[in-house]
Amino acid sequence: MNTTPDAGVGAGGTPIAEEALRAARVLHPDEGFMPRPTRRRVITVANQKGGVGKTTSTVNLAAGLALYGVRTLVVDLDPQGNASTALDVDHRSGTPSVYEMLLGEASVVDAAQTSGQSDNLLCVPATIDLAGSEIELVSMASRESRLKEALTSEALDQLDIDYVFVDCPPSLGLLTVNALVAAHEVLIPIQCEYYALEGLGQLLSNIELVQRHLNQELTVSTILLTMYDGRTKLADQVTQEVRRHFGDVVLKTIIPRSVKVSEAPGYGQTVLAYDPGSRGAMSYVDAAREVAERGVKERR
Ligand code: ADP
Ligand code: MG
């Protein structure tokens, strides 16, 4: 069931009943497993703007799927390592990480760590070593496809992974290109704010370039509206404009702006672990369920 988070009230039942139902689903995940996808999905979370909710959406969607029985791997491809922090995996310099994977020195099996938040939730951390890699990659052979080469089906089979989410840095450099080449799908988080759509054209044309030259399979499958503030008219205008432009690609669930969501990483947690009954947590579970349901409809 999808809710209408912008109103906070579903079609049936009272608002309080709806809220209780949503909280129950977060608190008792074993009562509503999400479907495993028809085939493994590799989803890159990209937007060259910083602070739009890429990392927050990556870790919380991944946690939502994992909590409901779906095996999920987060690849932290941002040298800032924010996803690694939120999933509380070791990412001190020297830890086997995505950097060693890009260099071909470690396999994903070596670098993946299980997050304490769920046995189904794994993360390849980013260490500070990744910071210089945009420059190091330039002179390497097959520099655009090193992540793809590291994410082999054999290794992902060994880890029994259903979903891979790649969290990108806020740029369109070689790291993001590697993420776009390694993926089947792109998920674009859009913040419900002024200027939200600015720069989107540039992102889309970069995606087209990658489609044309490096990865024909790539599609923009999912757009997620984040940090929605119901008190502002602007948030609704942005929502409508994005829906008009992108139609069904936009998830029905909208992530509200919520203090709990922003506090969680400070405790090395996703919001699902930090405050499972909060609106932020429930919205991410709803969004994860939508993603999972699309994964069994698509048969490519
Ligand atoms: P990005 O990865 O695109 O740079 P982040 O996911 O790190 O963006 O989010 C930017 C900031 O906004 C972070 O401080 C994060 O905690 C906060 N944030 C993200 N989503 C929400 C939300 N729904 N409500 C409140 N704060 C949020
Ligand atoms: Mg980030």
Side-chain angles (χ1 to χ4, degrees):
M1 182 190 70
N2 294 314
T3 53
T4 356
D6 31 345
V9 184
T14 63
I16 292 171
E18 280 287 330
E19 286 291 312
L21 201 69
R22 295 174 82 199
R25 285 207 308 272
V26 183
L27 296 167
H28 307 289
D30 42 326
E31 287 164 19
F33 281 117
M34 292 187 193
R36 298 181 76 168
T38 325
R39 63 160 210 175
R40 181 179 299 128
R41 295 173 75 186
V42 181
I43 304 178
T44 278
V45 180
N47 189 331
Q48 80 275 25
K49 285 178 83 167
V52 298
K54 285 183 292 297
T55 302
T56 306
S57 299
T58 301
V59 299
N60 289 298
L61 288 173
L65 289 161
L67 202 64
Y68 286 81
V70 181
R71 299 273 302 165
T72 306
L73 170 70
V74 168
V75 176
D76 189 350
L77 200 58
D78 185 344
Q80 294 189 48
N82 294 338
S84 310
T85 301
L87 297 175
D88 197 23
V89 293
D90 191 1
H91 60 290
R92 285 170 293 187
S93 176
T95 309
S97 70
V98 74
Y99 177 68
E100 286 77 10
M101 276 172 56
L102 291 169
L103 294 185
E105 291 173 359
S107 82
V108 58
V109 178
D110 302 327
Q113 299 176 43
T114 304
S115 164
Q117 298 182 38
S118 163
D119 288 344
N120 290 321
L121 183 56
L122 287 80
C123 177
V124 171
T127 62
I128 193 66
D129 303 323
L130 190 63
S133 65
E134 292 266 9
I135 295 163
E136 286 175 65
L137 280 169
V138 173
S139 59
M140 288 185 196
S142 60
R143 58 186 182 186
E144 297 98 351
S145 50
R146 301 193 71 96
L147 183 64
K148 184 186 173 70
E149 283 162 20
L151 291 174
T152 62
S153 334
E154 294 74 27
L156 295 172
D157 284 348
Q158 194 181 328
L159 295 168
D160 193 24
I161 296 298
D162 297 314
Y163 278 84
V164 179
F165 286 93
V166 185
D167 186 26
C168 288
S171 74
L172 292 170
L174 265 176
L175 286 175
T176 297
V177 171
N178 264 271
L180 294 172
V181 171
H184 314 129
E185 303 175 42
V186 188
L187 183 155
I188 306 176
I190 295 181
Q191 192 182 353
C192 301
E193 294 278 342
Y194 204 57
Y195 298 131
L197 301 179
E198 206 177 63
L200 212 56
Q202 204 189 354
L203 173 63
L204 294 173
S205 60
N206 271 264
I207 292 170
E208 269 171 38
L209 277 174
V210 171
Q211 283 167 332
R212 212 168 316 137
H213 301 288
L214 298 161
N215 181 7
Q216 285 186 351
E217 201 191 0
L218 190 67
T219 55
V220 177
S221 67
T222 316
I223 288 178
L224 177 61
L225 293 159
T226 65
M227 293 185 239
Y228 175 88
D229 183 347
R231 294 168 303 185
T232 69
K233 228 183 186 166
L234 184 67
D236 276 324
Q237 286 168 359
V238 171
T239 303
Q240 281 168 18
E241 195 173 337
V242 171
R243 289 207 191 283
R244 198 166 44 239
H245 220 266
F246 294 99
D248 285 346
V249 168
V250 188
L251 294 185
K252 293 193 182 74
T253 306
I254 300 175
I255 308 302
R257 186 174 276 287
S258 129
V259 176
K260 299 287 183 190
V261 170
S262 58
E263 283 173 353
Y267 296 86
Q269 289 183 329
T270 64
V271 71
L272 278 69
Y274 178 63
D275 189 350
S278 65
R279 292 178 63 81
M282 293 190 282
S283 305
Y284 270 114
V285 170
D286 286 340
R289 189 174 293 281
E290 274 192 71
V291 169
E293 281 165 2
R294 289 178 177 198
V296 286
K297 277 186 214 133
E298 277 170 39
R299 288 179 205 283
R300 281 172 294 157

